[in-house]
């Protein structure tokens, strides 16, 4: 339980709180918590924003609640009223994310049915994109769940998602809870699955989408996009528009978070948070250096479509993304 912003920062860094949409929600609530407890709101906001650099939703949520706090403070001069405003902004973001999840599920299922007429979809997913990372039922997982409910999901292939196994620990749990037909596979088994013709579509989420349509997502997503292109399988990204960052021009401009090497050199215990070196079972010689990026970047030419709460973009271009984002801004400003 996080009773102050610093505890929330640690929960985010240790992955006890993770997943792009819920990071935005948590960041907003963190600002509201700091305001309610009389802490320095600006200091708390900057610490929260820096907890994980790649996921843009975190900074979106933090800035939204911080802006509400500052506007109310300027208007009333009352810190209590300002804290109430920050909390209202966080709750609004929470509601909007749940609504966006439902709309993404509907748009994503419609796209699947369009691309794969006849139903019986066999979908491969990576990492965890369900209700554990969302105010609603998730992003990519919500689309698969919608297909399941309509009787059009034949099989959900779940990548284990090394090194912290979000697929096997979390996505498999969510699939089992909903009674979905799912099968777990090691990340390096995906290629043979494509070659056997067992994958009809790939559904993944995103932690940041650059203005040109480049997608940063959990490491391992880019190789799936390459496999999908080679095997003529749709590679579909499902994310709310808050994940699109117009201020990041292209994939090369996305800062990719580097995680500690011990996550690779030690087999982590099944629970989160990741507590530090020595917490797991060593699987490499002592002193082994590890390359452990949290994310990789998929260029837009490998992305079949980006599904948002306002519809799907395909082909993925900077112009199409900008049009969607401009539409969202016009709606927000009335």
């Amino acid at each position: 339980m996080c009773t102050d912003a610093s505890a929330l920062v640690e929960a985010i860094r240790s992955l006890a709180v993770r997943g792009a949409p819920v990071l935005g929600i948590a960041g907003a609530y963190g600002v509201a918590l700091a305001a309610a407890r009389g802490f320095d709101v600006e200091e708390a906001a900057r610490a929260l924003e820096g907890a994980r650099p790649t996921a843009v939703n975190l900074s979106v949520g933090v800035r939204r609640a911080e802006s509400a706090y500052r506007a109310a403070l300027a208007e009333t001069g009352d810190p209590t009223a300002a804290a109430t405003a920050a909390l209202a902004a966080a709750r609004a973001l929470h509601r909007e994310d749940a609504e966006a999840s439902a709309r993404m599920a509907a748009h994503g299922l419609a796209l699947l049915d369009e691309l794969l007429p006849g139903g019986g979809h066999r979908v491969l997913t990576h990492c965890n994109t369900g209700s554990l990372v969302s105010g609603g039922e998730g992003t990519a997982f919500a689309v698969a769940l919608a297909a399941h409910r309509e009787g059009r999901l034949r099989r959900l292939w779940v990548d284990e998602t090394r090194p912290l196994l979000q697929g096997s620990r979390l996505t498999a749990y969510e699939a089992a809870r909903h009674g979905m037909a799912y099968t777990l596979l090691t990340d390096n088994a995906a290629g043979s699955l494509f070659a056997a013709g067992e994958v009809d579509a790939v559904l993944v989420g995103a932690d940041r989408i650059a203005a040109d349509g480049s997608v940063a997502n959990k490491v391992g997503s880019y190789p799936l996009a390459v496999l999908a292109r080679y095997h003529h399988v749709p590679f579909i990204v499902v994310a709310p528009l808050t994940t699109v960052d117009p201020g990041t021009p292209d994939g090369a401009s996305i800062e990719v978070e580097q995680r500690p090497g011990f996550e690779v050199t030690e087999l982590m215990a099944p629970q989160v948070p990741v507590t530090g070196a020595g917490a797991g079972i060593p699987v490499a010689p002592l002193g082994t250096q590890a390359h452990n990026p949290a994310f990789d970047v998929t260029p837009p030419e490998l992305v079949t479509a980006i599904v948002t709460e306002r519809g799907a973009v395909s082909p993925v271009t900077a112009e199409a993304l900008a049009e969607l984002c401009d539409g969202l801004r016009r709606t927000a400003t009335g």
Side-chain angles (χ1 to χ4, degrees):
M1 179 174 168
C2 298
T3 57
D4 56 43
S6 61
L8 180 57
V9 168
E10 180 54 33
I12 291 170
R13 286 177 176 161
S14 67
L15 307 186
V17 178
R18 43 153 296 282
V22 84
L23 283 175
I25 296 168
Y29 279 122
V31 170
L33 177 62
R37 299 202 62 189
F39 294 144
D40 186 319
V41 170
E42 182 177 359
E43 181 180 337
R46 301 294 79 77
L48 285 162
E49 277 190 302
R52 298 199 71 189
T54 304
V56 69
N57 297 68
L58 178 56
S59 60
V60 168
V62 167
R63 291 173 186 176
R64 180 162 167 178
E66 185 182 13
S67 294
Y69 171 84
R70 295 203 175 284
L73 188 63
E75 180 180 350
T76 67
D78 181 1
T80 300
T84 300
L87 180 58
R91 286 174 171 165
L93 180 63
H94 196 160
R95 287 193 304 272
E96 290 165 17
D97 185 70
E99 294 164 0
S101 175
R103 291 196 293 270
M104 286 187 290
H107 291 311
L109 180 56
L111 179 64
L112 277 182
D113 289 342
E114 177 185 338
L115 295 173
L116 306 168
H121 311 317
R122 297 167 300 175
V123 172
L124 173 65
T125 192
H126 190 69
C127 201
N128 176 242
T129 58
S131 59
L132 294 173
V133 303
S134 170
E137 291 186 322
T139 56
F141 184 87
V143 176
L145 182 57
H148 165 68
R149 287 172 173 159
E150 294 296 325
R152 299 205 286 276
L153 182 70
R154 181 175 167 188
R155 176 66 47 182
L156 181 66
W157 298 108
V158 179
D159 269 356
E160 63 175 356
T161 317
R162 282 280 294 156
L164 298 181
L165 307 176
Q166 291 98 326
S168 57
R169 291 188 297 107
L170 305 176
T171 302
Y173 160 76
E174 291 189 322
R177 186 179 64 172
H178 289 288
M180 301 165 75
Y182 74 96
T183 300
L184 181 68
L185 64 144
T186 61
D187 295 358
N188 54 8
S192 58
L193 202 62
F194 278 96
E198 293 291 331
V199 181
D200 298 317
V202 180
L203 289 175
V204 300
D207 287 81
R208 186 184 296 253
I209 300 173
D212 72 338
S214 296
V215 175
N217 192 49
K218 178 65 182 178
V219 66
S221 300
Y222 171 59
L224 292 181
V226 174
L227 283 166
R229 174 55 58 92
Y230 181 80
H231 292 280
H232 308 290
V233 169
F235 182 87
I236 300 168
V237 175
V238 186
L241 279 172
T242 50
T243 305
V244 180
D245 181 15
T248 299
D250 52 34
S253 304
I254 298 175
E255 179 183 356
V256 174
E257 175 188 355
Q258 299 295 320
R259 299 286 301 173
F262 69 79
E263 294 178 356
V264 175
T265 61
E266 299 178 12
L267 183 62
M268 294 291 99
Q271 69 273 14
V272 176
V274 176
T275 53
I281 300 170
V283 293
L286 184 66
T288 297
Q289 294 187 10
H291 175 59
N292 187 21
F295 307 97
D296 56 25
V297 179
T298 299
E301 56 266 27
L302 294 182
V303 179
T304 305
I306 294 176
V307 176
T308 76
E309 67 271 33
R310 292 181 66 86
V313 173
S314 183
V316 177
T317 65
E319 293 74 20
L321 276 178
E323 185 177 346
L324 271 185
C325 291
D326 286 345
L328 182 68
R329 282 193 290 270
R330 285 196 298 271
T331 299
T333 58

